[in-house]
């Protein structure tokens, strides 16, 4: 491969990215975005009609301001759903930026494979595979971030319930107790409770704000808490006692999850060792006798065998993970 050609391609790619960032910065004016959102809240499209403000009206455009990408995504149901997924993963990107990142990584994988390989059929196959993997990498990171945030939120939920119950016993109202939780605890539960209070302050009912809270977080434990609070508002009862009982249930679930994790850790490590053993053995063989495994990479039958082995490795990892994924 020509080093000069690779440097030229990298320079062109950097120039394209720089132009896209410049266009984005020129169109994404914070003042203009604020004026558009305030205009929507005040109903300036009609001149006189004033709409009921909501917290969603004050939010920035979820599709972003990237040219072409945002125009394609604006107003679609999928855009709203993906924006919620990004929020649940604590990823500070708009939907347009996230989609552009996936496309960029896919193109990057294709270009790199085309530069580093020479074989015709294998070159195209590897380029397609690299593009597919590059396109999926941001989604894998999104799922990982969502799981990490969800685990942290569930762990904070027990402390939040205790704080709410104690505040209610001390004579505070529900809104005051939630404000105390938003000030005393940390992200993410403090941020979500603060957003719920903002929804209530701009005119949403308590029931709707709590339902939006459960939808945003995507936590089964929080769904149980919200359901208990909504039932208490409909039928009456001692909310502090209800929250204490729910908190006790949550603590028991956390304890059981810890015991299950302790019991399944050995099996999980065994799966990792068994799955990584072929790669370690192949590495040692390549160090001792580099030509021994050459047919696997250059012969068609060897490439088929290597692909089948990788697929079976992937299937085994997924199977072990599904077996050890025990819901509580």
């Amino acid at each position: 491969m020509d080093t000069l050609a690779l440097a030229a391609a990298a320079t062109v790619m950097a120039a394209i990215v720089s132009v896209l960032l410049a266009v984005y910065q020129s169109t994404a004016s914070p003042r203009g975005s604020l004026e558009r959102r305030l205009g929507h809240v005040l109903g300036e499209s009609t001149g006189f009609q004033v709409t009921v403000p909501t917290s969603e009206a004050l939010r920035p455009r979820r599709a972003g301001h990237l040219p072409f990408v945002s125009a394609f995504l604006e107003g679609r149901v999928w855009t709203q759903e993906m924006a919620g997924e990004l929020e649940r993963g604590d990823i500070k990107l708009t939907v347009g930026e996230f989609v552009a990142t996936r496309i960029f990584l896919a193109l990057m994988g294709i270009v790199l494979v085309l530069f580093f390989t020479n074989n015709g059929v294998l070159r195209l196959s590897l380029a397609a595979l690299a593009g597919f993997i590059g396109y999926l990498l941001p989604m894998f990171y999104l799922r990982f971030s969502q799981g990490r945030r969800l685990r942290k939120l569930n762990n904070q939920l027990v402390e939040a319930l205790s704080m709410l119950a104690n505040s209610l016993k001390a004579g505070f109202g529900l809104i005051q107790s939630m404000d105390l939780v938003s000030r005393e605890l940390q992200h993410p539960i403090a941020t979500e409770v603060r957003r719920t209070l903002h929804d209530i302050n701009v005119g949403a009912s308590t029931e709707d704000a709590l339902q939006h809270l459960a939808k945003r977080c995507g936590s089964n434990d929080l769904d149980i808490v919200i359901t208990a609070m909504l039932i208490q508002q409909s039928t009456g009862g001692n909310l502090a006692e209800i929250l204490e009982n729910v908190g006790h249930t949550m603590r028991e679930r956390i304890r059981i999850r810890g015991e299950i994790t302790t019991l399944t850790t050995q099996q999980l490590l065994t799966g990792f060792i068994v799955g990584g053993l072929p790669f370690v053995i192949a590495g040692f063989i390549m160090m001792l006798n580099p030509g021994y495994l050459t047919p696997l990479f250059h012969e068609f039958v060897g490439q088929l065998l290597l692909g089948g082995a990788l697929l079976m490795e992937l299937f085994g990892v997924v199977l072990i993970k599904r077996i050890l994924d025990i819901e509580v």
Side-chain angles (χ1 to χ4, degrees), residues 77-195:
V77 177
W78 179 86
T79 304
Q80 304 297 325
E81 294 176 353
M82 180 52 65
E85 295 288 336
L86 292 173
E87 289 180 357
R88 282 192 284 272
D90 273 342
I91 296 180
K92 309 301 182 183
L93 294 176
T94 62
V95 178
E97 293 167 348
F98 184 73
V99 172
T101 301
R102 299 184 71 180
I103 296 174
F104 174 76
L105 290 178
L107 294 177
M108 178 72 76
I110 293 173
V111 170
L112 289 177
V113 170
L114 291 179
F115 268 110
F116 281 101
T117 56
N118 296 318
N119 193 341
V121 178
L122 180 62
R123 183 186 189 190
L124 295 179
S125 301
L126 291 178
L129 180 61
F132 182 69
I133 293 175
Y135 185 76
L136 291 181
L137 279 178
M139 186 59 68
F140 288 149
Y141 178 74
L142 174 61
R143 299 305 179 194
F144 171 76
S145 300
Q146 287 177 345
R148 180 177 57 188
R149 184 180 190 269
L150 183 60
R151 287 190 295 271
K152 185 175 180 180
L153 188 144
N154 288 334
N155 291 331
Q156 291 177 318
L157 189 57
V158 175
E159 185 179 357
L161 290 176
S162 300
M163 191 174 295
L164 279 175
N166 293 332
S167 300
L168 291 172
K169 288 181 179 180
F172 289 97
L174 178 60
I175 304 301
Q176 293 173 315
S177 301
M178 292 175 64
D179 181 65
L180 179 64
V181 170
S182 67
R183 287 186 285 107
E184 295 296 331
L185 296 183
Q186 297 179 352
H187 180 80
I189 195 166
T191 303
E192 295 297 339
V193 173
R194 194 177 300 115
R195 288 183 59 185

Side-chain angles (χ1 to χ4, degrees), residues 123-275:
R123 183 186 189 190
L124 295 179
S125 301
L126 291 178
L129 180 61
F132 182 69
I133 293 175
Y135 185 76
L136 291 181
L137 279 178
M139 186 59 68
F140 288 149
Y141 178 74
L142 174 61
R143 299 305 179 194
F144 171 76
S145 300
Q146 287 177 345
R148 180 177 57 188
R149 184 180 190 269
L150 183 60
R151 287 190 295 271
K152 185 175 180 180
L153 188 144
N154 288 334
N155 291 331
Q156 291 177 318
L157 189 57
V158 175
E159 185 179 357
L161 290 176
S162 300
M163 191 174 295
L164 279 175
N166 293 332
S167 300
L168 291 172
K169 288 181 179 180
F172 289 97
L174 178 60
I175 304 301
Q176 293 173 315
S177 301
M178 292 175 64
D179 181 65
L180 179 64
V181 170
S182 67
R183 287 186 285 107
E184 295 296 331
L185 296 183
Q186 297 179 352
H187 180 80
I189 195 166
T191 303
E192 295 297 339
V193 173
R194 194 177 300 115
R195 288 183 59 185
T196 303
L197 293 175
H198 289 169
D199 289 345
I200 297 173
N201 291 334
V202 298
S205 64
T206 304
E207 180 178 354
D208 291 339
L210 292 175
Q211 289 177 349
H212 291 160
L213 171 63
K215 183 179 180 180
R216 285 196 309 268
C217 295
S219 169
N220 294 330
D221 292 349
L222 186 59
D223 285 341
I224 297 174
V225 176
I226 299 300
T227 302
M229 295 175 68
L230 294 179
I231 292 175
Q232 186 275 336
Q233 287 189 349
S234 300
T235 61
N238 190 341
L239 181 58
E241 183 178 354
I242 293 174
L243 293 178
E244 282 187 341
N245 293 333
V246 174
H248 175 72
T249 303
M250 298 301 168
R251 281 190 291 271
E252 289 299 313
R253 294 183 67 179
I254 292 175
R255 182 183 61 82
I256 295 174
R257 286 196 193 106
E259 293 180 357
I260 291 176
T261 302
T262 302
L263 295 174
T264 57
T265 298
Q266 181 179 356
Q267 286 73 21
L268 185 63
L269 291 177
T270 302
F272 281 133
I273 293 173
V274 172

Side-chain angles (χ1 to χ4, degrees), residues 11-23:
T11 304
V12 172
M13 183 174 297
I16 294 174
V17 173
S18 300
V19 171
L20 290 177
L21 289 176
V23 174

Side-chain angles (χ1 to χ4, degrees), residues 280-316:
V280 175
I281 294 176
F284 276 113
I285 293 176
M286 292 181 68
M287 291 174 59
L288 298 175
N289 189 0
Y292 187 78
L293 297 179
T294 301
L296 288 178
F297 300 98
H298 295 282
E299 300 292 336
F300 180 72
V301 177
Q303 293 173 0
L304 287 179
L305 292 175
L306 189 61
L310 292 176
L311 287 177
M312 286 189 289
E313 282 280 340
L314 180 62
F315 176 75

Side-chain angles (χ1 to χ4, degrees), residues 33-34 36-42 51-61 202:
S33 177
L34 179 61
R36 284 192 297 270
R37 285 182 278 157
L38 290 177
H40 177 72
V41 173
L42 298 176
T51 58
V52 177
T54 62
S55 61
E56 292 298 320
L58 296 173
R59 295 175 59 78
R61 290 177 59 189
V202 298

